[in-house]
Amino acid sequence: TLVSVPLKAGASVVGVMTLILDQPYTFRELELRQLQVLGAQAAIAIQNAGLYEQAQQELVRHLKAEATLRQLDAELEQRIQQRTAELEAANRSLRNEVAAGHQIEARSRDILAAIPDLIFEISPDCVFVDCHAAAPEELLMPPEAFLGKHIREVLSPDLVEELTVAMGIAAS
C-alpha cells in the first residue's frame, strides 16, 4: 500500500510525504486526517527551517556589515586625528609666521622712525601708496592730497622725470 500526502505551505507544495506499507491496508478517515495533519506540521517544519536558514544568512550579512562599519569608523577616526594634527601644526606655523611678521613690522616702524628724511612708498605703476615723515610739518600738503594719486598728478614734470629715472635704477 502506498499513500502520498502533499506538504503545502500556503498554496505552494514544499514536498511530498510518502508512506509505503508491506501489506495491503485500508486507511480509515481518522488516520488519513492524522496523516494530513502530520503533513501540515512537516510543511511548517520545512518552512521554518528555510526561514531559520534565511535568518542565519541575514545575521551573517549583518555581522559582516557591522565589522566593516567598525573598520571604516576606525579608519575615519585615524584620518580625523591625522588631519587634526596636521591642522594644529599648520596653525602653530601660521601663528609663528604672524608673530614674525609683527616683529618685522615693528622693526620696520622703528627704522622708519629713526630716519629723519621724508619717505614715500610708490607702486610700480607710479602711484603714491604711503609716506613717512619724522616731522609731519615737513610735508607740503596733507597725505590725503597725494596718496592714491599718480606722481604726474602731484609732482612737477622735472621731479617726475627724476623720480622715474631713480625708480628705474632702483628696480634694476
Side-chain angles (χ1 to χ4, degrees):
T1 303
L2 175 70
V3 175
S4 295
V5 178
L7 306 178
K8 291 185 175 183
S12 304
V13 175
V14 294
V16 176
M17 180 175 66
T18 303
L19 204 61
I20 302 172
L21 300 173
D22 294 345
Q23 301 172 7
Y25 183 78
T26 304
F27 287 92
R28 294 180 298 221
E29 188 65 31
L30 178 63
E31 292 172 327
L32 289 174
R33 271 190 262 129
Q34 288 174 338
L35 284 173
Q36 287 174 340
V37 169
L38 184 61
Q41 290 175 344
I44 291 170
I46 291 170
Q47 193 175 26
N48 285 346
L51 291 173
Y52 178 78
E53 181 63 28
Q54 286 176 352
Q56 288 296 97
Q57 290 173 358
E58 186 62 32
L59 179 62
V60 167
R61 282 193 299 274
H62 180 76
L63 292 174
K64 284 181 182 178
E66 278 185 349
T68 300
L69 284 175
R70 278 192 299 276
Q71 179 183 359
L72 290 173
D73 186 49
E75 289 173 8
L76 182 60
E77 184 62 32
Q78 183 181 9
R79 286 183 193 165
I80 289 171
Q81 289 174 356
Q82 180 182 3
R83 187 66 180 134
T84 300
E86 290 170 1
L87 289 173
E88 287 172 351
N91 267 342
R92 280 191 300 276
S93 176
L94 186 58
R95 281 193 296 273
N96 291 341
E97 288 178 25
V98 167
H102 288 310
Q103 288 176 344
I104 291 170
E105 185 179 335
R107 270 188 262 138
S108 296
R109 278 194 305 271
D110 291 346
I111 290 170
L112 283 175
I115 298 173
D117 298 326
L118 286 173
I119 298 173
F120 295 97
E121 183 181 344
I122 300 173
S123 70
D125 57 344
C126 298
V127 173
F128 285 99
V129 176
D130 199 3
C131 74
H132 169 75
E137 61 275 0
E138 292 177 5
L139 292 173
L140 301 175
M141 62 181 82
E144 302 81 40
F146 60 88
L147 290 179
K149 294 186 178 178
H150 194 278
I151 59 174
R152 286 191 188 98
E153 297 176 64
V154 179
L155 303 175
S156 68
D158 292 342
L159 280 175
V160 168
E161 180 67 29
E162 212 176 295
L163 187 58
T164 52
V165 167
M167 287 174 61
I169 293 170
S172 57

